[in-house]
Amino acid sequence: MNLTVLKAIFKRDFVNYFSNATGYVFICVFVLLSSLATIWPEEFFSNNLANLDQLTNWMPYILLVFVPAITMGSWAEERRRGTDELLLTLPASDADVVIGKYLANVAIFTVSLLFSMASIRLIFAYGLGSPDTGLFCCTYLGYWFVGIGMIAVGMVASFLTSNLTVSFILGLLFNAPQALAQLFSFGDAEWLNGVVRSGLNLFDAYDGFADFSRGVVSVGGVTHFVCIIALMLYLCMVLIGRRHWSGGSDGPSLGLHYLARGATLLVALSGLSATVKNTGAGYLDMTSARLNSLSPNTIALARELGQKEDLPPIRIDAYVSPQVPSEYAKQKRELLNTLSALRSAGGGKIVVATHEIENFSEEATVAETNGIDARPVETKVRGVREQEEIFLGASFRCGLDKVVLPFLDKGLPVEYELVRSITTVADEKRKTLGVVRTDAQLFSSFSMQGPSEESRLITELKKQYDVKEVDPSKPIEETFDVLLAVQPSSLSPEALDNFVAAVKTGQPTAIFEDPFPVAWNVVGTDQPKPPAGGMMGMFGGGGPPPPKGDMQQLWKLLGVRFNASDLIVQDHNPYKAQNFITDEWVFVDVDSGAQQPFNSESPITAGLKQVLFLYTGAAESSQEAGVTFTPLAVTNGRTATEPVRAAQAFLQQQSPAAQYRLRASRRATGKTYVLAAEIKGQVEEQQKLELNESIDDEALRKELAGEAPAADGAGGGADPDSDTPDAADDAVSKVHAVLVADIDGLSNDFFAIRAIGPDERLDVDWRFQNVTFVLNILDSLAGDDRYIDVRKRTRDYRTLTELEAATESARDQAADQEEEFIKLAKDEIEAARASYRKEIAKIQNDASLTPAQREQKLRLVGRKLERQRDVKIAGLTREQDKQIKQNQRDLAATIRSVQDRYKLAAVIVPPVLPILLACWVYFRRRSREQEGVAKERLRYAQHEPTKPAAAAS
């Protein structure tokens, strides 16, 4: 390769492009279209994300026009001017000429792209917000790869003709498959041959660009464009050397030979590109917030699936609406990003197909057959609440197994939901979870009061576990991966004995016990059950309440002390604006002031920020030997206790007197309380030893203690020389349990709030993680740590912060005006009613009127005054509604004016930089042309008039 010739060709073409006004006109148009495609689509403001998603949708079409304008003169202009023969006679190879021209075109495109990048960054800096720098630069790097791939294709078109117009049209037609392939998705069609699919994917620009748009530089994406560039440059070399192989009258043509070589190269490069993409090698997340990096556990799970040769490929079909409300834009982006990352990490075992479907289309029908329906959601458009239906779900298939994720609510962690669905459909056997049947109704049932629905806790657990209901009235002989007991104090004595016996065997158990449940229809730990009776207590009422088991045997087994008569209150409210939150709402929060609110060394609580306990109790270790008591959630030191009875009386009466008695019953302690703890180890069965002391029959005592009777039937201990374990060894039980002193966190409300996520309709932006806390407990006890870290992970997407502040200020101002007008209207309405009452009272108190006259006057005048009052109130109500609508219109107009200001900037700012550069180049070129030229020879020189010779003498 002759670098001197290559450099000369590069410099010649590059300088020629920027030496005339046409080049700058194209650049101005390019940057203007880029900024318009970024800012002008309505989705840019509705999605409220500081990224280039809208430009990404339009960039292939912009490049489809701009790139042929660059490449059309690569060889066609040389032929038109007759300079092609001069290039072919240079002491250089055909490759030098092709590569030199290609690099010149790439440099021209790079300069244009830098102008676009700088102008759009200026628009963001003008007041829209601060985009993720890594994502911003990586997306433009993807645009660069798409462009240089199209340049290689455009050069092939230029080598086919000597006409610039024809070259432009051919370049547009040849590049059309790259820009339009995503509309047809032939590369994902299962009915096509694998080789054909790979070849089609090679000409799909979005297939290679997808990773860059997410802020990821992948070897697969780079390889995609390198392969297409290599193929097209080879074709250019073949075309420029046509004079050697075309044959003519002197020899045979080698056209079929080069055609076969080109086809072979196409197949080889397509296979290389597909192979590299499927391996998922070389994956670099450029985003500053690590938006596309999967958690280590997720990567390990994906790689584990990829190594299972006998596992069929896992097919994921994502069904999303093309446009979603701004509230769901982050969820949609995270869904698509995570699916792409999973496909890259799956080593070919995870196949992803994304379907953007419109409502009521044929694809919508296909989605419905897969269990995914359009979900109605509410959104705010120009300050007005509207409802629309969108698709945002996925189906997972592996062989004959199938799992459906119908809809991804805003509050659901996307990576966790996807990974759990993938592993569930791929696992041959799920872990088992036993749920002890207590008075806390978790499963759906039918009673005399009517049917009850399954709790959302059970619905959530069924996505991961094989959930079974356990009847404690019989001995619990089956072994589960984890056992869940909610309010076991409601069990009968026999059922509680069976449950405690199961815990003694070392069965991992999650115990949720509450001294005063407020979200469940179940009594507290020390509260008696309601009296037995018939339907709703109407028949056979007055009977004694059903007996409850003795919880002390469970506490002794666990080695804890559980105070069921008092509630814990704490002075900490992270939502200070909400005056309905009382001290009985105990927030275990990283900002509560506690030294260690969450145990950072436990996988259950590491990384948690906030958990809410409602009317909770507390537990503490009784320091039993052999038991490890590990606190998981701890209060701060600003605490007190109050009796359960006082809290119950206040909630029933809701009177100032009851509130006073509740406050008076509090006892400040200043202690920290453990609200949740993990208990593990071995404990001696003290209740057996206590029972033995009260039994006189020595033989019966030995039998209960597990001792073998003497051979002669007499008393006596075990044979000291025997290998049989003695009674002390038999009286030891293994325990592994997590105790939580509250069950309200398991209610449906917490699951509903998690699913809703941040929402302007809610009075409070709740941030507690109760659902995560509960699921972590069960997973940890079951020995399944695959999802614990993933479940706690969140991603921080950049939004249009400055725009949010401007529009929020306008909303607040409109809301204040509306509230003030409503208050004035209410005052006037009340004044009208007071005036009516005053006139009526005046007639009633008129002593000069007889009762008959007073009644007649009240009937006549009262009817008139009532009509006047109603007319005035109706007018004020109409005026109020009119003013509210006007405020909404003003708000919408204000928001539009803010958006229009940025749209105007998108028109004005982008052309400024290339125009300034064009002016600088023009005047610099003019000044250099005038160097060394006599002033009188310049076209616009001002010549002094010639003086007459006589005057001169």
Side-chain angles (χ1 to χ4, degrees):
M1 181 175 291
N2 193 329
L3 295 179
T4 302
V5 175
L6 190 150
K7 182 179 178 181
I9 295 175
F10 167 83
K11 184 176 180 180
R12 171 178 171 268
D13 286 7
F14 182 78
V15 172
N16 284 344
Y17 186 87
F18 288 101
S19 297
N20 60 80
T22 305
Y24 294 100
V25 169
F26 278 116
I27 292 177
C28 286
V29 172
F30 174 70
V31 296
L32 180 60
L33 291 177
S34 300
S35 61
L36 291 179
T38 304
I39 306 297
W40 275 72
E42 194 65 33
E43 297 80 11
F44 176 77
F45 295 103
S46 63
N47 289 350
N48 192 31
L49 293 176
N51 56 31
L52 303 171
D53 283 355
Q54 283 65 47
L55 178 58
T56 297
N57 294 334
W58 287 99
M59 182 58 80
Y61 309 115
I62 297 174
L63 296 180
L64 185 60
V65 177
F66 180 65
V67 168
I70 296 177
T71 61
M72 64 182 181
S74 294
W75 196 250
E77 183 69 9
E78 301 287 355
R79 286 184 176 178
R80 189 181 67 83
R81 293 180 178 180
T83 56
D84 55 333
E85 293 296 335
L86 177 62
L87 288 176
L88 295 176
T89 56
L90 290 175
S93 64
D94 294 344
D96 294 333
V97 176
V98 170
I99 294 175
K101 286 187 166 295
Y102 175 73
L103 293 179
N105 290 332
V106 168
I108 295 169
F109 173 70
T110 303
V111 172
S112 305
L113 205 60
L114 289 175
F115 276 121
S116 172
M117 184 177 179
S119 60
I120 293 178
R121 194 66 180 82
L122 283 176
I123 295 174
F124 274 106
Y126 176 62
L128 281 175
S130 177
D132 189 307
T133 303
L135 176 61
F136 189 85
C137 295
C138 190
T139 303
Y140 261 94
L141 179 62
Y143 297 155
W144 185 76
F145 273 109
V146 174
I148 64 176
M150 287 187 169
I151 287 173
V153 176
M155 286 184 61
V156 173
S158 183
F159 275 99
L160 293 175
T161 180
S162 60
N163 187 291
L164 290 178
T165 303
V166 174
S167 176
F168 175 83
I169 294 174
L170 289 177
L172 190 149
L173 292 176
F174 289 176
N175 277 306
Q178 293 200 74
L180 305 178
Q182 59 176 319
L183 300 179
F184 304 101
S185 300
F186 287 127
D188 293 327
E190 294 184 353
W191 54 271
L192 288 175
N193 181 273
V195 177
V196 177
R197 270 206 310 273
S198 299
L200 292 174
N201 276 331
L202 188 62
F203 291 94
D204 183 355
Y206 192 81
D207 185 66
F209 171 73
D211 288 338
F212 293 99
S213 67
R214 299 185 292 109
V216 171
V217 177
S218 63
V219 174
V222 175
T223 303
H224 174 95
F225 293 107
V226 170
C227 288
I228 196 171
I229 291 169
L231 176 63
M232 292 300 126
L233 291 184
Y234 173 76
L235 292 180
C236 288
M237 295 176 193
V238 171
L239 292 174
I240 198 176
R242 183 168 47 182
R243 64 191 185 280
H244 301 302
W245 56 262
S246 60
S249 58
D250 298 333
S253 173
L254 299 177
L256 292 178
H257 170 75
Y258 281 102
L259 179 63
R261 290 175 64 177
T264 303
L265 183 61
L266 171 62
V267 173
L269 292 177
S270 300
L272 174 63
S273 176
T275 302
V276 174
K277 289 177 186 175
N278 290 334
T279 59
Y283 187 90
L284 179 61
D285 187 357
M286 298 291 292
T287 59
S288 58
R290 314 301 294 170
L291 300 177
N292 305 287
S293 297
L294 300 175
S295 66
N297 282 354
T298 300
I299 295 175
L301 287 171
R303 290 177 178 173
E304 181 181 348
L305 294 176
Q307 295 172 358
K308 294 182 178 180
E309 298 180 356
D310 58 339
L311 180 69
I314 300 172
R315 167 86 180 194
I316 304 176
D317 290 280
Y319 299 91
V320 298
S321 295
Q323 303 298 335
V324 298
S326 59
E327 294 88 347
Y328 289 87
K330 296 179 183 178
Q331 200 75 343
K332 175 185 174 181
R333 182 176 181 84
E334 188 167 346
L335 170 63
L336 300 180
N337 287 359
T338 308
L339 286 176
S340 298
L342 287 170
R343 179 180 59 182
S344 300
K349 284 293 184 180
I350 300 177
V351 181
V352 178
T354 303
H355 310 276
E356 291 194 344
I357 53 180
E358 301 283 353
N359 295 346
F360 310 111
S361 63
E362 293 184 4
E363 289 186 324
T365 304
V366 175
E368 291 174 359
T369 59
N370 285 324
I372 299 174
D373 300 328
R375 180 75 59 88
V377 298
E378 286 192 4
T379 180
K380 181 179 286 187
V381 180
R382 300 183 186 276
V384 179
R385 282 285 170 188
E386 296 182 356
Q387 189 176 80
E388 61 178 290
E389 294 185 345
I390 63 172
F391 287 92
L392 196 62
S395 66
F396 306 78
R397 287 182 295 163
C398 182
L400 299 178
D401 295 329
K402 182 178 180 181
V403 173
V404 177
L405 194 61
F407 192 81
L408 273 170
D409 288 295
K410 292 179 295 181
L412 297 181
V414 176
E415 183 178 346
Y416 163 63
E417 293 290 338
L418 295 180
V419 172
R420 182 176 61 177
S421 299
I422 290 173
T423 53
T424 300
V425 78
D427 284 346
E428 297 180 358
K429 185 179 180 180
R430 301 187 187 185
K431 288 184 176 293
T432 57
L433 184 147
V435 180
V436 178
R437 184 189 302 161
T438 64
D439 287 358
Q441 189 64 42
L442 296 176
F443 291 88
S444 59
S445 64
F446 185 84
S447 63
M448 300 302 294
Q449 288 77 26
S452 62
E453 295 183 354
E454 180 180 81
S455 70
R456 299 187 67 165
L457 171 63
I458 298 300
T459 303
E460 181 76 14
L461 293 175
K462 285 182 177 179
K463 297 178 182 178
Q464 178 180 345
Y465 291 95
D466 181 11
V467 180
K468 298 180 180 180
E469 189 175 18
V470 179
D471 183 5
S473 63
K474 303 175 183 178
I476 304 175
E477 298 177 350
E478 183 177 358
T479 301
F480 301 94
D481 291 295
V482 60
L483 190 65
L484 171 63
V486 180
Q487 206 66 3
S489 62
S490 64
L491 295 174
S492 65
E494 181 182 2
L496 184 59
D497 290 344
N498 293 332
F499 170 67
V500 172
V503 178
K504 289 179 183 179
T505 63
Q507 166 72 64
T509 309
I511 302 171
F512 290 80
E513 180 63 37
D514 197 330
F516 184 43
V518 294
W520 293 85
N521 186 23
V522 60
V523 297
T525 305
D526 278 358
Q527 295 173 327
K529 289 188 177 183
M535 181 185 302
M536 301 181 66
M538 292 186 296
F539 304 103
K548 296 173 62 176
D550 181 14
M551 287 292 289
Q552 291 304 316
Q553 60 177 319
L554 178 60
W555 303 144
K556 289 180 180 180
L557 175 66
L558 298 179
V560 300
R561 287 191 291 268
F562 190 92
N563 186 358
S565 59
D566 291 327
L567 299 178
I568 306 302
V569 295
Q570 176 185 249
D571 180 19
H572 175 63
N573 179 11
Y575 308 93
K576 297 185 182 302
Q578 311 305 321
N579 54 15
F580 60 85
I581 296 178
T582 64
D583 291 341
E584 288 83 3
W585 292 35
V586 179
F587 291 92
V588 177
D589 192 293
V590 292
D591 298 323
S592 65
Q595 184 175 2
Q596 191 176 9
F598 294 108
N599 190 332
S600 59
E601 297 181 359
S602 172
I604 297 175
T605 51
L608 290 182
K609 303 296 183 183
Q610 184 183 103
V611 175
L612 170 60
F613 295 82
L614 289 172
Y615 292 85
T616 180
E620 61 179 337
S621 174
S622 61
Q623 298 181 350
E624 294 288 345
V627 177
T628 302
F629 183 89
T630 306
L632 298 177
V634 183
T635 66
N636 61 24
R638 302 186 301 275
T639 56
T641 61
E642 64 183 26
V644 171
R645 292 181 179 180
Q648 185 178 17
F650 169 70
L651 291 180
Q652 289 175 349
Q653 299 176 14
Q654 292 287 331
S655 64
Q659 184 177 15
Y660 173 78
R661 288 193 295 269
L662 177 64
R663 297 287 184 182
S665 67
R666 287 188 180 176
R667 299 184 302 275
T669 61
K671 295 170 53 180
T672 59
Y673 291 92
V674 178
L675 308 185
E678 183 175 13
I679 301 152
K680 193 174 183 180
Q682 295 181 342
V683 294
E684 294 184 0
E685 299 182 20
Q686 298 294 335
Q687 56 266 42
K688 279 190 176 183
L689 300 178
E690 294 170 359
L691 179 61
N692 288 350
E693 294 175 357
S694 64
I695 299 177
D696 296 330
D697 189 345
E698 184 177 359
L700 180 59
R701 183 171 66 249
K702 290 182 178 181
E703 182 180 354
L704 291 174
E707 298 178 3
D712 57 359
D719 184 359
D721 297 330
S722 173
D723 294 333
T724 304
D726 58 12
D729 293 334
D730 286 344
V732 174
S733 297
K734 296 180 180 179
V735 173
H736 186 197
V738 171
L739 173 63
V740 180
D742 179 53
I743 70 170
D744 297 313
L746 305 176
S747 66
N748 292 341
D749 294 335
F750 285 88
F751 286 86
I753 291 173
R754 182 191 70 145
I756 293 172
D759 196 321
E760 293 180 358
R761 294 172 296 172
L762 298 177
D763 296 331
V764 192
D765 179 18
W766 300 114
R767 298 183 297 275
F768 42 69
Q769 300 167 285
N770 287 60
V771 175
T772 301
F773 176 59
V774 172
L775 298 180
N776 285 354
I777 290 174
L778 297 174
D779 284 359
S780 178
L781 288 171
D784 188 359
D785 60 351
R786 295 176 296 176
Y787 312 119
I788 292 179
D789 291 335
V790 181
R791 190 181 291 124
K792 293 181 287 190
R793 189 180 181 197
T794 58
R795 288 180 170 89
D796 182 22
Y797 289 92
R798 303 288 182 90
T799 58
L800 306 176
T801 53
E802 301 296 333
L803 184 64
E804 285 177 341
T807 54
E808 191 62 30
S809 176
R811 285 196 183 99
D812 292 342
Q813 184 177 359
D816 293 341
Q817 294 176 354
E818 181 178 324
E819 184 178 354
E820 182 179 357
F821 183 83
I822 291 175
K823 183 179 179 181
L824 292 175
K826 285 182 178 180
D827 292 342
E828 293 186 17
I829 291 174
E830 185 58 33
R833 289 172 177 166
S835 177
Y836 167 77
R837 291 192 296 268
K838 183 178 179 181
E839 293 295 332
I840 294 298
K842 184 178 180 182
I843 296 174
Q844 290 176 340
N845 297 329
D846 191 351
S848 63
L849 299 176
T850 64
Q853 291 174 334
R854 184 180 297 109
E855 183 67 24
Q856 183 180 8
K857 191 171 183 180
L858 282 174
R859 189 166 52 251
L860 296 175
V861 178
R863 192 176 300 168
K864 178 182 177 182
L865 293 174
E866 186 176 355
R867 284 198 300 268
Q868 291 177 352
R869 179 201 63 186
D870 294 342
V871 169
K872 188 170 184 179
I873 291 176
L876 290 171
T877 303
R878 286 194 300 270
E879 187 66 24
Q880 174 182 325
D881 295 339
K882 181 179 178 181
Q883 185 64 33
I884 291 174
K885 292 181 180 179
Q886 182 61 42
N887 286 342
Q888 292 177 347
R889 286 192 292 268
D890 293 342
L891 174 61
T894 303
I895 294 175
R896 281 197 300 270
S897 66
V898 173
Q899 296 177 356
D900 291 343
R901 185 167 72 247
Y902 293 108
K903 290 182 178 180
L904 181 63
V907 176
I908 297 176
V909 173
V912 171
L913 291 177
I915 289 175
L916 291 177
L917 181 60
C919 293
W920 179 79
V921 170
Y922 172 78
F923 287 111
R924 185 171 183 273
R925 182 180 178 185
R926 291 284 299 173
S927 63
R928 293 185 65 179
E929 289 176 349
Q930 295 174 6
E931 291 179 359
V933 180
K935 186 176 181 181
E936 59 271 9
R937 295 184 59 190
L938 297 176
R939 180 182 300 177
Y940 303 106
Q942 298 293 331
H943 299 285
E944 296 182 2
T946 305
K947 298 181 180 180
S953 61

